Coordinates of all heavy atoms in Angstrom, one line a residue:
N15 N -20.2 -41.4 -49.1 CA -20.8 -41.0 -47.8 C -19.6 -41.4 -46.7 O -19.2 -40.8 -45.8 CB -22.0 -41.3 -47.4 CG -23.0 -40.4 -48.0 OD1 -22.7 -39.3 -48.5 ND2 -24.3 -40.9 -48.2
D16 N -19.2 -42.8 -46.9 CA -18.4 -43.3 -46.0 C -16.9 -42.8 -46.0 O -16.3 -42.5 -45.0 CB -18.3 -44.9 -46.2 CG -19.4 -45.7 -45.9 OD1 -20.2 -45.2 -45.1 OD2 -19.6 -46.8 -46.4
I17 N -16.6 -42.4 -47.2 CA -15.2 -41.8 -47.4 C -15.3 -40.4 -46.7 O -14.3 -40.0 -46.0 CB -14.8 -41.6 -48.8 CG1 -14.7 -43.0 -49.4 CG2 -13.6 -40.7 -49.0 CD1 -14.4 -43.1 -50.9
L18 N -16.3 -39.6 -47.0 CA -16.3 -38.2 -46.4 C -16.5 -38.4 -44.8 O -15.8 -37.7 -44.1 CB -17.7 -37.6 -46.9 CG -17.9 -36.2 -46.2 CD1 -16.7 -35.2 -46.5 CD2 -19.2 -35.6 -46.7
E19 N -17.2 -39.4 -44.3 CA -17.3 -39.5 -42.8 C -16.0 -39.9 -42.3 O -15.5 -39.3 -41.2 CB -18.3 -40.7 -42.5 CG -18.4 -40.9 -41.0 CD -19.5 -42.0 -40.7 OE1 -20.2 -42.4 -41.6 OE2 -19.5 -42.3 -39.5
A20 N -15.3 -40.8 -42.9 CA -13.8 -41.2 -42.5 C -13.1 -40.0 -42.5 O -12.2 -39.9 -41.5 CB -13.3 -42.3 -43.3
Y21 N -13.0 -39.1 -43.6 CA -12.2 -38.1 -43.6 C -12.5 -37.0 -42.5 O -11.7 -36.6 -41.8 CB -12.4 -37.3 -45.0 CG -11.7 -35.9 -45.1 CD1 -10.3 -36.0 -45.3 CD2 -12.5 -34.8 -45.1 CE1 -9.7 -34.8 -45.5 CE2 -11.8 -33.6 -45.3 CZ -10.5 -33.5 -45.6 OH -9.7 -32.4 -45.6
L22 N -13.7 -36.7 -42.3 CA -14.0 -35.7 -41.3 C -13.8 -36.1 -39.8 O -13.4 -35.4 -39.0 CB -15.6 -35.5 -41.3 CG -16.1 -34.7 -42.5 CD1 -17.6 -34.6 -42.6 CD2 -15.4 -33.3 -42.7
N23 N -13.7 -37.5 -39.6 CA -13.4 -38.0 -38.3 C -12.0 -38.3 -38.1 O -11.7 -38.6 -37.0 CB -14.1 -39.4 -38.1 CG -15.7 -39.1 -37.9 OD1 -16.1 -38.2 -37.3 ND2 -16.5 -40.1 -38.5
T24 N -11.1 -37.9 -39.1 CA -9.7 -38.1 -38.9 C -8.8 -36.7 -39.1 O -7.7 -36.8 -38.6 CB -9.1 -39.2 -39.7 OG1 -9.3 -38.9 -41.1 CG2 -9.7 -40.5 -39.3
I25 N -9.4 -35.8 -39.8 CA -8.5 -34.6 -40.1 C -8.3 -33.7 -38.8 O -9.0 -33.7 -37.9 CB -9.1 -33.8 -41.3 CG1 -10.5 -33.3 -40.9 CG2 -9.2 -34.6 -42.6 CD1 -11.0 -32.3 -42.0
N26 N -7.2 -32.9 -39.1 CA -6.7 -32.1 -38.0 C -7.6 -30.7 -38.0 O -7.6 -30.1 -39.0 CB -5.2 -31.7 -38.2 CG -4.6 -30.9 -37.2 OD1 -5.3 -30.5 -36.1 ND2 -3.4 -30.5 -37.4
Y27 N -8.1 -30.4 -37.0 CA -8.8 -29.2 -36.7 C -8.0 -28.2 -35.7 O -8.6 -27.6 -34.9 CB -10.3 -29.4 -36.2 CG -11.1 -30.2 -37.3 CD1 -11.2 -31.5 -37.2 CD2 -11.8 -29.4 -38.1 CE1 -12.1 -32.1 -38.1 CE2 -12.6 -30.0 -39.1 CZ -12.8 -31.3 -39.0 OH -13.6 -31.8 -39.9
G28 N -6.8 -28.3 -35.7 CA -5.9 -27.5 -34.8 C -5.5 -28.2 -33.5 O -5.7 -27.9 -32.5
G29 N -4.9 -29.3 -33.8 CA -4.5 -30.3 -32.8 C -5.5 -31.1 -32.1 O -5.3 -31.9 -31.3
I30 N -6.7 -31.0 -32.7 CA -7.8 -31.7 -32.4 C -8.2 -32.6 -33.7 O -8.5 -32.0 -34.6 CB -9.1 -30.8 -32.0 CG1 -8.7 -29.8 -30.9 CG2 -10.3 -31.6 -31.5 CD1 -8.2 -30.3 -29.6
Y31 N -8.4 -33.9 -33.4 CA -8.6 -34.8 -34.6 C -10.2 -35.1 -34.6 O -10.6 -35.7 -33.6 CB -7.7 -35.9 -34.6 CG -6.3 -35.3 -34.9 CD1 -5.4 -34.9 -33.9 CD2 -5.9 -35.2 -36.3 CE1 -4.2 -34.4 -34.2 CE2 -4.6 -34.7 -36.6 CZ -3.8 -34.4 -35.6 OH -2.5 -33.9 -35.8
G32 N -10.8 -35.0 -35.8 CA -12.1 -35.4 -35.9 C -13.1 -34.4 -35.6 O -13.0 -33.4 -34.7
I33 N -14.3 -34.2 -36.4 CA -15.1 -33.1 -36.3 C -15.9 -33.1 -34.9 O -16.1 -32.1 -34.4 CB -16.1 -33.2 -37.5 CG1 -16.8 -31.8 -37.6 CG2 -17.0 -34.4 -37.5 CD1 -17.4 -31.6 -39.0
E34 N -16.2 -34.3 -34.4 CA -17.0 -34.3 -33.2 C -16.0 -33.7 -32.0 O -16.4 -32.9 -31.2 CB -17.4 -35.6 -32.8 CG -18.2 -35.9 -31.6 CD -19.6 -35.2 -31.7 OE1 -20.1 -35.0 -32.8 OE2 -20.2 -34.8 -30.7
N35 N -14.8 -34.2 -32.0 CA -13.8 -33.6 -31.0 C -13.7 -32.1 -31.1 O -13.6 -31.3 -30.2 CB -12.5 -34.3 -31.1 CG -12.6 -35.7 -30.6 OD1 -13.4 -36.1 -29.8 ND2 -11.7 -36.6 -31.1
A36 N -13.6 -31.7 -32.5 CA -13.4 -30.2 -32.7 C -14.6 -29.5 -32.3 O -14.6 -28.4 -31.7 CB -13.1 -29.9 -34.2
S37 N -15.8 -29.9 -32.6 CA -17.0 -29.4 -32.1 C -17.1 -29.2 -30.6 O -17.5 -28.1 -30.1 CB -18.2 -30.2 -32.6 OG -19.5 -29.6 -32.1
K38 N -16.7 -30.2 -29.9 CA -16.7 -30.0 -28.4 C -15.7 -29.3 -28.0 O -15.8 -28.4 -27.0 CB -16.5 -31.6 -27.9 CG -17.7 -32.3 -28.0 CD -17.8 -33.7 -27.5 CE -19.0 -34.4 -27.7 NZ -19.0 -35.9 -27.3
Y39 N -14.4 -29.2 -28.5 CA -13.4 -28.4 -28.1 C -13.7 -26.8 -28.4 O -13.6 -25.9 -27.5 CB -12.1 -28.6 -28.9 CG -10.9 -27.8 -28.5 CD1 -10.2 -27.9 -27.4 CD2 -10.4 -26.8 -29.6 CE1 -9.1 -27.1 -27.2 CE2 -9.4 -26.1 -29.1 CZ -8.7 -26.2 -28.0 OH -7.7 -25.3 -27.7
Y40 N -14.2 -26.5 -29.6 CA -14.4 -25.1 -29.9 C -15.8 -24.6 -29.4 O -15.9 -23.5 -29.1 CB -14.3 -24.8 -31.5 CG -12.9 -25.0 -32.0 CD1 -12.5 -26.1 -32.7 CD2 -12.0 -24.0 -31.7 CE1 -11.2 -26.2 -33.1 CE2 -10.7 -24.1 -32.1 CZ -10.4 -25.2 -32.9 OH -9.0 -25.3 -33.4
F41 N -16.7 -25.4 -29.3 CA -18.1 -25.0 -29.0 C -18.9 -25.7 -27.8 O -20.0 -25.4 -27.5 CB -18.9 -25.1 -30.2 CG -18.4 -24.1 -31.4 CD1 -17.9 -24.7 -32.5 CD2 -18.4 -22.7 -31.3 CE1 -17.3 -23.9 -33.4 CE2 -17.9 -22.0 -32.2 CZ -17.4 -22.7 -33.4
N42 N -18.1 -26.6 -27.3 CA -18.6 -27.3 -26.1 C -20.1 -28.1 -26.4 O -20.9 -28.0 -25.6 CB -18.7 -26.5 -25.0 CG -18.9 -27.2 -23.7 OD1 -18.4 -28.3 -23.6 ND2 -19.6 -26.6 -22.7
K43 N -20.2 -28.6 -27.7 CA -21.4 -29.3 -28.1 C -21.1 -30.3 -29.1 O -20.0 -30.1 -29.9 CB -22.5 -28.2 -28.5 CG -22.1 -27.4 -29.6 CD -23.3 -26.6 -30.3 CE -23.3 -25.3 -29.6 NZ -24.4 -24.4 -30.3
S44 N -22.1 -31.1 -29.4 CA -21.8 -32.0 -30.4 C -21.9 -31.5 -31.8 O -22.6 -30.5 -31.9 CB -23.1 -33.3 -30.2 OG -22.8 -34.1 -31.3
A45 N -21.3 -32.1 -32.8 CA -21.4 -31.6 -34.1 C -22.7 -31.5 -34.6 O -23.0 -30.6 -35.4 CB -20.5 -32.4 -35.0
K46 N -23.6 -32.3 -34.2 CA -25.1 -32.3 -34.7 C -25.8 -31.2 -34.2 O -26.8 -30.8 -34.7 CB -25.7 -33.7 -34.5 CG -26.0 -33.8 -32.9 CD -26.7 -35.2 -32.8 CE -27.0 -35.6 -31.2 NZ -27.7 -34.6 -30.5
D47 N -25.2 -30.5 -33.3 CA -26.0 -29.4 -32.6 C -25.3 -28.0 -33.1 O -25.7 -26.9 -32.5 CB -25.9 -29.4 -31.1 CG -26.6 -30.7 -30.6 OD1 -27.8 -31.0 -31.2 OD2 -26.2 -31.2 -29.5
L48 N -24.3 -28.1 -34.0 CA -23.7 -26.8 -34.4 C -24.6 -25.9 -35.1 O -25.3 -26.4 -36.0 CB -22.5 -27.1 -35.3 CG -21.4 -27.7 -34.5 CD1 -20.3 -28.0 -35.5 CD2 -20.8 -26.8 -33.5
T49 N -24.5 -24.6 -35.1 CA -25.2 -23.7 -35.8 C -24.5 -23.4 -37.1 O -23.3 -23.8 -37.3 CB -25.4 -22.3 -35.1 OG1 -24.1 -21.7 -35.0 CG2 -26.0 -22.4 -33.7
L50 N -25.1 -22.7 -38.0 CA -24.5 -22.5 -39.4 C -23.1 -21.7 -39.2 O -22.1 -22.3 -39.8 CB -25.3 -21.8 -40.2 CG -24.8 -21.4 -41.7 CD1 -24.4 -22.8 -42.4 CD2 -25.9 -20.7 -42.5
P51 N -23.1 -20.6 -38.4 CA -21.8 -20.1 -38.3 C -20.7 -20.9 -37.6 O -19.4 -20.9 -38.0 CB -22.0 -18.8 -37.4 CG -23.3 -18.9 -36.8 CD -24.1 -20.0 -37.8
E52 N -21.1 -21.7 -36.6 CA -20.0 -22.7 -36.1 C -19.6 -23.7 -37.0 O -18.4 -24.0 -37.1 CB -21.0 -23.3 -34.9 CG -21.1 -22.4 -33.8 CD -22.1 -22.8 -32.7 OE1 -22.8 -23.9 -32.9 OE2 -22.2 -22.3 -31.7
M53 N -20.6 -24.3 -37.8 CA -20.3 -25.2 -38.9 C -19.3 -24.6 -39.9 O -18.2 -25.2 -40.3 CB -21.4 -25.7 -39.6 CG -22.3 -26.8 -38.8 SD -23.7 -27.4 -39.8 CE -25.0 -26.4 -39.1
A54 N -19.5 -23.3 -40.3 CA -18.7 -22.7 -41.2 C -17.3 -22.5 -40.7 O -16.2 -22.6 -41.4 CB -19.3 -21.4 -41.7
L55 N -17.1 -22.2 -39.4 CA -15.8 -22.0 -38.7 C -15.0 -23.3 -38.8 O -13.9 -23.4 -39.2 CB -15.9 -21.5 -37.3 CG -14.6 -21.5 -36.7 CD1 -14.4 -20.1 -36.1 CD2 -14.4 -22.4 -35.6
I56 N -15.7 -24.5 -38.4 CA -15.1 -25.6 -38.4 C -14.7 -26.2 -39.8 O -13.6 -26.8 -40.0 CB -15.9 -26.8 -37.5 CG1 -15.9 -26.4 -36.1 CG2 -15.5 -28.1 -37.8 CD1 -16.6 -27.3 -35.1
A57 N -15.5 -25.9 -40.7 CA -15.4 -26.3 -42.1 C -14.0 -25.5 -42.6 O -13.3 -26.1 -43.5 CB -16.5 -26.0 -43.0
G58 N -13.8 -24.4 -42.2 CA -12.7 -23.6 -42.8 C -11.4 -23.9 -42.0 O -10.3 -23.5 -42.5
L59 N -11.4 -24.6 -40.9 CA -10.1 -25.0 -40.1 C -9.1 -25.7 -40.8 O -7.9 -25.5 -40.8 CB -10.5 -25.5 -38.7 CG -11.0 -24.5 -37.7 CD1 -11.5 -25.2 -36.5 CD2 -9.9 -23.6 -37.3
P60 N -9.6 -26.8 -41.4 CA -8.6 -27.8 -41.9 C -7.5 -27.2 -42.9 O -6.4 -27.7 -43.0 CB -9.4 -28.9 -42.7 CG -10.6 -28.9 -41.9 CD -10.9 -27.5 -41.6
Q61 N -7.9 -26.2 -43.6 CA -6.9 -25.5 -44.6 C -5.6 -25.0 -43.8 O -4.6 -25.2 -44.4 CB -7.5 -24.4 -45.2 CG -6.7 -23.8 -46.3 CD -7.3 -22.5 -47.0 OE1 -8.3 -22.0 -46.6 NE2 -6.6 -22.0 -48.1
A62 N -5.8 -24.5 -42.8 CA -4.7 -24.0 -41.8 C -5.0 -23.9 -40.4 O -5.4 -22.8 -39.9 CB -4.1 -22.7 -42.4
P63 N -5.2 -25.0 -39.7 CA -5.9 -25.0 -38.5 C -5.3 -24.1 -37.4 O -6.0 -23.4 -36.7 CB -5.7 -26.4 -37.9 CG -5.4 -27.2 -39.2 CD -4.8 -26.4 -40.2
S64 N -4.1 -24.0 -37.3 CA -3.5 -23.0 -36.3 C -3.6 -21.6 -36.7 O -3.8 -20.8 -35.8 CB -2.0 -23.3 -36.0 OG -1.2 -23.3 -37.2
V65 N -3.6 -21.3 -37.9 CA -3.8 -19.9 -38.5 C -5.3 -19.5 -38.2 O -5.5 -18.4 -37.8 CB -3.4 -19.8 -39.9 CG1 -3.8 -18.4 -40.5 CG2 -2.0 -20.2 -40.1
Y66 N -6.2 -20.3 -38.6 CA -7.7 -20.0 -38.4 C -8.3 -20.3 -37.2 O -9.5 -20.1 -37.0 CB -8.4 -20.6 -39.6 CG -8.0 -20.0 -40.9 CD1 -7.5 -20.9 -42.0 CD2 -7.9 -18.7 -41.3 CE1 -7.0 -20.4 -43.2 CE2 -7.4 -18.2 -42.5 CZ -7.0 -19.0 -43.4 OH -6.6 -18.5 -44.6
S67 N -7.6 -20.7 -36.2 CA -8.2 -21.1 -34.9 C -8.6 -19.7 -34.2 O -7.9 -18.7 -34.2 CB -7.3 -21.8 -33.9 OG -7.7 -21.7 -32.6
P68 N -9.9 -19.6 -33.8 CA -10.3 -18.4 -32.9 C -9.5 -18.2 -31.8 O -9.6 -17.0 -31.3 CB -11.8 -18.7 -32.8 CG -11.9 -20.1 -32.8 CD -10.9 -20.7 -33.8
Y69 N -8.9 -19.2 -31.1 CA -8.0 -19.0 -30.1 C -6.8 -18.3 -30.4 O -6.2 -17.8 -29.5 CB -7.8 -20.4 -29.3 CG -9.1 -21.0 -28.8 CD1 -9.5 -22.2 -29.2 CD2 -9.6 -20.4 -27.7 CE1 -10.5 -22.9 -28.6 CE2 -10.8 -21.0 -27.1 CZ -11.3 -22.3 -27.7 OH -12.3 -22.9 -27.1
N70 N -6.4 -18.5 -31.7 CA -5.1 -17.8 -32.0 C -5.3 -16.5 -32.7 O -4.4 -15.7 -32.5 CB -4.3 -18.8 -33.0 CG -3.9 -20.0 -32.4 OD1 -3.8 -20.1 -31.1 ND2 -3.6 -21.1 -33.1
N71 N -6.3 -16.4 -33.5 CA -6.5 -15.1 -34.3 C -8.0 -14.9 -34.6 O -8.5 -15.6 -35.6 CB -5.6 -15.0 -35.4 CG -5.7 -13.7 -36.1 OD1 -6.6 -13.0 -36.2 ND2 -4.4 -13.2 -36.5
I72 N -8.7 -14.3 -33.8 CA -10.2 -14.1 -34.0 C -10.5 -13.5 -35.3 O -11.4 -14.0 -36.1 CB -10.8 -13.1 -32.9 CG1 -10.7 -14.1 -31.6 CG2 -12.1 -12.9 -33.2 CD1 -11.2 -13.3 -30.3
E73 N -9.8 -12.5 -35.8 CA -10.1 -11.8 -37.1 C -9.9 -12.8 -38.3 O -10.7 -12.8 -39.1 CB -9.3 -10.5 -37.1 CG -9.6 -9.4 -36.2 CD -11.3 -9.2 -36.3 OE1 -11.8 -9.1 -37.5 OE2 -11.9 -9.2 -35.2
L74 N -8.7 -13.5 -38.3 CA -8.5 -14.5 -39.4 C -9.6 -15.5 -39.4 O -10.0 -16.1 -40.3 CB -7.1 -15.0 -39.3 CG -6.0 -14.2 -39.9 CD1 -4.6 -14.9 -39.8 CD2 -6.2 -13.7 -41.3
A75 N -9.9 -16.1 -38.1 CA -11.0 -17.1 -37.9 C -12.3 -16.6 -38.6 O -12.9 -17.3 -39.3 CB -11.2 -17.4 -36.5
K76 N -12.6 -15.3 -38.2 CA -13.9 -14.8 -38.7 C -13.8 -14.7 -40.3 O -14.7 -14.9 -41.1 CB -14.2 -13.5 -38.2 CG -15.5 -12.8 -38.6 CD -15.8 -11.5 -37.8 CE -17.1 -10.9 -38.2 NZ -17.4 -9.8 -37.3
K77 N -12.7 -14.1 -40.8 CA -12.5 -14.0 -42.3 C -12.6 -15.3 -43.1 O -13.3 -15.4 -44.1 CB -11.1 -13.3 -42.5 CG -10.9 -13.1 -44.1 CD -9.4 -12.4 -44.2 CE -9.2 -12.2 -45.7 NZ -7.9 -11.4 -45.9
R78 N -12.0 -16.3 -42.5 CA -12.0 -17.7 -43.0 C -13.5 -18.3 -43.0 O -14.0 -18.8 -44.0 CB -11.1 -18.6 -42.3 CG -11.2 -20.1 -42.9 CD -10.6 -20.1 -44.4 NE -10.7 -21.5 -44.8 CZ -11.1 -21.8 -46.1 NH1 -11.4 -20.9 -47.0 NH2 -11.2 -23.2 -46.4
R79 N -14.1 -17.9 -41.9 CA -15.5 -18.5 -41.7 C -16.4 -17.7 -42.8 O -17.2 -18.3 -43.5 CB -16.1 -18.2 -40.3 CG -17.5 -18.5 -40.2 CD -18.2 -17.7 -39.1 NE -18.4 -16.4 -39.5 CZ -19.0 -15.5 -38.6 NH1 -19.6 -15.9 -37.6 NH2 -19.1 -14.2 -38.9
N80 N -16.2 -16.6 -43.0 CA -17.0 -15.7 -44.1 C -16.6 -16.2 -45.4 O -17.5 -16.1 -46.3 CB -16.8 -14.2 -43.7 CG -17.6 -13.8 -42.6 OD1 -18.4 -14.5 -42.0 ND2 -17.2 -12.6 -42.1
Q81 N -15.4 -16.6 -45.6 CA -15.1 -17.2 -47.0 C -15.9 -18.5 -47.2 O -16.4 -18.7 -48.3 CB -13.5 -17.5 -47.0 CG -12.7 -16.3 -47.2 CD -11.2 -16.5 -47.1 OE1 -10.8 -17.6 -46.5 NE2 -10.4 -15.7 -47.6
V82 N -16.0 -19.4 -46.1 CA -16.7 -20.6 -46.3 C -18.2 -20.3 -46.5 O -18.8 -20.8 -47.5 CB -16.6 -21.4 -45.1 CG1 -17.6 -22.6 -45.1 CG2 -15.2 -21.9 -45.0
L83 N -18.8 -19.3 -45.8 CA -20.1 -18.9 -46.0 C -20.4 -18.3 -47.4 O -21.3 -18.6 -48.1 CB -20.6 -17.8 -45.1 CG -20.7 -18.4 -43.6 CD1 -20.8 -17.2 -42.6 CD2 -21.9 -19.3 -43.5
G84 N -19.4 -17.6 -47.9 CA -19.4 -17.0 -49.2 C -19.6 -18.1 -50.3 O -20.2 -18.0 -51.3
R85 N -18.7 -19.1 -50.1 CA -18.7 -20.3 -51.1 C -20.0 -21.0 -51.0 O -20.6 -21.5 -52.0 CB -17.6 -21.1 -50.8 CG -17.3 -22.3 -51.7 CD -16.7 -21.8 -52.9 NE -16.4 -22.9 -53.8 CZ -16.4 -22.9 -55.0 NH1 -16.6 -21.8 -55.7 NH2 -16.1 -23.9 -55.7
M86 N -20.6 -21.2 -49.8 CA -21.8 -21.8 -49.7 C -22.9 -21.0 -50.4 O -23.8 -21.6 -51.0 CB -22.2 -21.8 -48.2 CG -21.4 -22.9 -47.4 SD -21.7 -23.0 -45.7 CE -23.3 -23.8 -45.7
Y87 N -22.9 -19.7 -50.4 CA -23.9 -18.9 -51.0 C -23.6 -19.0 -52.6 O -24.6 -19.1 -53.3 CB -23.7 -17.3 -50.5 CG -24.5 -16.3 -51.4 CD1 -25.8 -16.4 -51.6 CD2 -23.7 -15.3 -52.1 CE1 -26.6 -15.5 -52.2 CE2 -24.5 -14.5 -52.9 CZ -25.9 -14.6 -53.0 OH -26.5 -13.6 -53.8
K88 N -22.4 -18.8 -53.0 CA -22.1 -18.9 -54.5 C -22.5 -20.3 -55.0 O -23.1 -20.3 -56.1 CB -20.7 -18.9 -54.7 CG -20.3 -18.8 -56.2 CD -18.8 -18.5 -56.2 CE -18.4 -18.5 -57.9 NZ -17.0 -18.2 -57.9
M89 N -22.5 -21.3 -54.2 CA -22.9 -22.7 -54.6 C -24.5 -22.9 -54.4 O -24.8 -24.2 -54.6 CB -22.1 -23.8 -54.0 CG -20.5 -23.7 -54.1 SD -20.1 -23.8 -56.0 CE -20.6 -25.6 -56.2
K90 N -25.1 -21.9 -53.9 CA -26.6 -22.0 -53.6 C -27.0 -22.9 -52.5 O -28.0 -23.4 -52.6 CB -27.3 -22.2 -54.9 CG -27.0 -21.1 -56.0 CD -27.9 -21.4 -57.2 CE -27.6 -20.6 -58.3 NZ -27.6 -19.1 -58.4
Y91 N -26.0 -23.1 -51.5 CA -26.4 -23.9 -50.3 C -27.2 -23.1 -49.3 O -28.0 -23.6 -48.6 CB -25.3 -24.5 -49.7 CG -24.6 -25.6 -50.5 CD1 -23.5 -25.6 -51.1 CD2 -25.4 -26.9 -50.7 CE1 -22.9 -26.6 -51.9 CE2 -24.8 -28.0 -51.4 CZ -23.6 -27.8 -51.9 OH -23.0 -28.8 -52.7
I92 N -27.0 -21.8 -49.5 CA -27.7 -20.8 -48.6 C -28.1 -19.6 -49.3 O -27.5 -19.3 -50.4 CB -26.8 -20.4 -47.4 CG1 -25.5 -19.7 -47.8 CG2 -26.6 -21.4 -46.4 CD1 -24.7 -19.0 -46.6
D93 N -29.2 -19.0 -49.0 CA -29.6 -17.8 -49.8 C -28.9 -16.4 -49.3 O -28.2 -16.6 -48.3 CB -31.1 -17.5 -49.7 CG -31.6 -17.5 -48.3 OD1 -30.9 -16.9 -47.5 OD2 -32.8 -17.7 -48.1
K94 N -29.2 -15.5 -50.1 CA -28.3 -14.2 -49.8 C -28.7 -13.6 -48.2 O -27.8 -13.1 -47.6 CB -28.7 -13.1 -50.7 CG -27.9 -11.8 -50.5 CD -28.0 -10.8 -51.6 CE -27.1 -9.7 -51.3 NZ -26.8 -8.9 -52.4
A95 N -30.0 -13.7 -47.9 CA -30.4 -13.2 -46.5 C -29.6 -14.1 -45.5 O -29.1 -13.5 -44.6 CB -31.9 -13.3 -46.4
T96 N -29.6 -15.4 -45.7 CA -28.9 -16.2 -44.6 C -27.4 -15.9 -44.7 O -26.8 -15.8 -43.7 CB -29.1 -17.7 -45.0 OG1 -30.5 -17.9 -45.0 CG2 -28.4 -18.5 -44.0
F97 N -26.8 -15.7 -46.0 CA -25.4 -15.4 -46.0 C -25.1 -14.1 -45.2 O -24.2 -14.1 -44.3 CB -24.9 -15.3 -47.4 CG -23.7 -14.7 -47.6 CD1 -22.5 -15.3 -47.1 CD2 -23.5 -13.5 -48.3 CE1 -21.2 -14.8 -47.4 CE2 -22.2 -12.9 -48.6 CZ -21.1 -13.6 -48.1
E98 N -25.9 -13.0 -45.4 CA -25.7 -11.7 -44.9 C -25.8 -11.8 -43.4 O -25.1 -11.3 -42.6 CB -26.7 -10.7 -45.3 CG -26.2 -10.4 -46.9 CD -25.0 -9.8 -47.2 OE1 -24.3 -9.2 -46.3 OE2 -24.4 -9.9 -48.4
K99 N -26.9 -12.5 -43.0 CA -27.2 -12.6 -41.5 C -26.1 -13.3 -40.9 O -25.6 -13.0 -39.6 CB -28.6 -13.2 -41.2 CG -28.8 -13.5 -39.8 CD -30.3 -14.1 -39.6 CE -30.5 -14.3 -38.1 NZ -30.9 -15.7 -37.9
T100 N -25.7 -14.5 -41.4 CA -24.8 -15.4 -40.7 C -23.3 -14.7 -40.7 O -22.7 -15.0 -39.7 CB -24.7 -16.8 -41.4 OG1 -26.0 -17.2 -41.5 CG2 -23.8 -17.8 -40.6
K101 N -22.9 -14.2 -41.7 CA -21.5 -13.6 -41.7 C -21.4 -12.5 -40.7 O -20.4 -12.1 -40.2 CB -21.1 -13.2 -43.0 CG -21.7 -11.9 -43.5 CD -21.0 -11.6 -45.0 CE -21.4 -10.2 -45.4 NZ -20.7 -9.9 -46.7
A102 N -22.5 -11.9 -40.1 CA -22.5 -10.7 -39.3 C -22.5 -11.2 -38.0 O -22.2 -10.5 -37.0 CB -23.7 -9.8 -39.5
E103 N -22.8 -12.5 -37.6 CA -22.9 -13.1 -36.3 C -21.5 -13.2 -35.7 O -20.6 -13.6 -36.4 CB -23.6 -14.5 -36.3 CG -25.1 -14.4 -36.6 CD -25.8 -15.7 -36.5 OE1 -25.2 -16.6 -35.7 OE2 -26.7 -16.0 -37.3
E104 N -21.5 -12.9 -34.5 CA -20.2 -13.1 -33.6 C -20.2 -14.5 -33.1 O -21.2 -14.8 -32.3 CB -20.1 -12.0 -32.5 CG -20.0 -10.6 -33.2 CD -18.7 -10.5 -34.0 OE1 -17.6 -11.2 -33.7 OE2 -18.6 -9.6 -34.9
Y105 N -19.4 -15.3 -33.3 CA -19.4 -16.8 -32.8 C -18.3 -16.8 -31.6 O -18.3 -17.8 -31.0 CB -19.1 -17.8 -33.9 CG -17.8 -17.5 -34.4 CD1 -16.5 -18.1 -34.0 CD2 -17.7 -16.6 -35.6 CE1 -15.5 -17.8 -34.6 CE2 -16.5 -16.5 -36.2 CZ -15.3 -17.0 -35.7 OH -14.0 -16.8 -36.3
F106 N -17.6 -15.8 -31.4 CA -16.5 -15.8 -30.5 C -16.9 -16.2 -29.1 O -16.2 -16.7 -28.3 CB -15.7 -14.7 -30.5 CG -15.2 -14.2 -32.0 CD1 -15.7 -13.0 -32.4 CD2 -14.6 -15.1 -32.8 CE1 -15.5 -12.7 -33.8 CE2 -14.4 -14.8 -34.1 CZ -14.8 -13.4 -34.6
K107 N -18.1 -15.8 -28.7 CA -18.6 -16.1 -27.4 C -18.7 -17.5 -27.1 O -18.7 -17.9 -25.8 CB -20.1 -15.4 -27.2 CG -21.0 -16.1 -28.1 CD -22.5 -15.2 -28.0 CE -23.3 -15.8 -29.0 NZ -24.3 -14.9 -29.5
Y108 N -18.7 -18.4 -28.0 CA -18.8 -19.8 -27.8 C -17.4 -20.3 -27.6 O -17.1 -21.4 -26.9 CB -19.4 -20.6 -29.1 CG -20.7 -20.0 -29.2 CD1 -21.0 -19.4 -30.5 CD2 -21.7 -20.3 -28.4 CE1 -22.3 -18.9 -30.8 CE2 -23.1 -19.7 -28.7 CZ -23.4 -19.2 -29.9 OH -24.5 -18.7 -30.3
C109 N -16.3 -19.8 -28.1 CA -15.0 -20.3 -28.0 C -14.4 -19.9 -26.5 O -14.6 -18.9 -25.9 CB -14.1 -19.8 -29.1 SG -14.8 -20.2 -30.7

């Protein structure tokens, strides 16, 4: 847990370092208050932060968010109904 916490608090989320800072930058709220689609967006950013930033390309950000949600469904972290509902949500209003 300590290693994961250290990682999440130092990685790049598009010129923003740390999950709490990224949460405040992208959604104007603490990481503990993120919704599932918001969490999925932030979880997908580290692979290519500037590419998947909703500020740079909304469609790619949504596609990457949905890939994260799909992986969560496949790994049984969320059920099919949650997956379908969440991937249809528009999160761009927060950004």
Side-chain angles (χ1 to χ4, degrees):
N15 285 338
D16 291 341
I17 293 169
L18 178 60
E19 182 179 350
Y21 175 73
L22 293 174
N23 286 323
T24 58
I25 60 174
N26 181 7
Y27 292 93
I30 309 301
Y31 291 86
I33 196 162
E34 187 67 20
N35 291 333
S37 177
K38 288 179 180 174
Y39 177 76
Y40 289 107
F41 300 108
N42 198 31
K43 62 173 96 170
S44 176
K46 67 180 178 57
D47 297 323
L48 293 174
T49 64
L50 180 58
E52 293 166 346
M53 286 185 253
L55 177 125
I56 286 183
L59 283 172
Q61 183 180 13
S64 61
V65 173
Y66 295 123
S67 169
Y69 292 119
N70 294 339
N71 190 318
I72 290 173
E73 290 307 313
L74 279 179
K76 185 175 181 178
K77 183 177 178 179
R78 177 67 181 143
R79 178 202 66 177
N80 289 345
Q81 288 173 338
V82 170
L83 291 168
R85 185 75 175 150
M86 291 175 72
Y87 169 63
K88 185 176 180 180
M89 300 296 294
K90 301 185 189 299
Y91 288 108
I92 59 175
D93 61 26
K94 185 171 183 162
T96 301
F97 169 64
E98 294 296 335
K99 178 183 177 229
T100 306
K101 76 175 186 175
E103 287 185 33
E104 294 295 333
Y105 60 89
F106 313 119
K107 63 186 173 207
Y108 303 113
C109 297

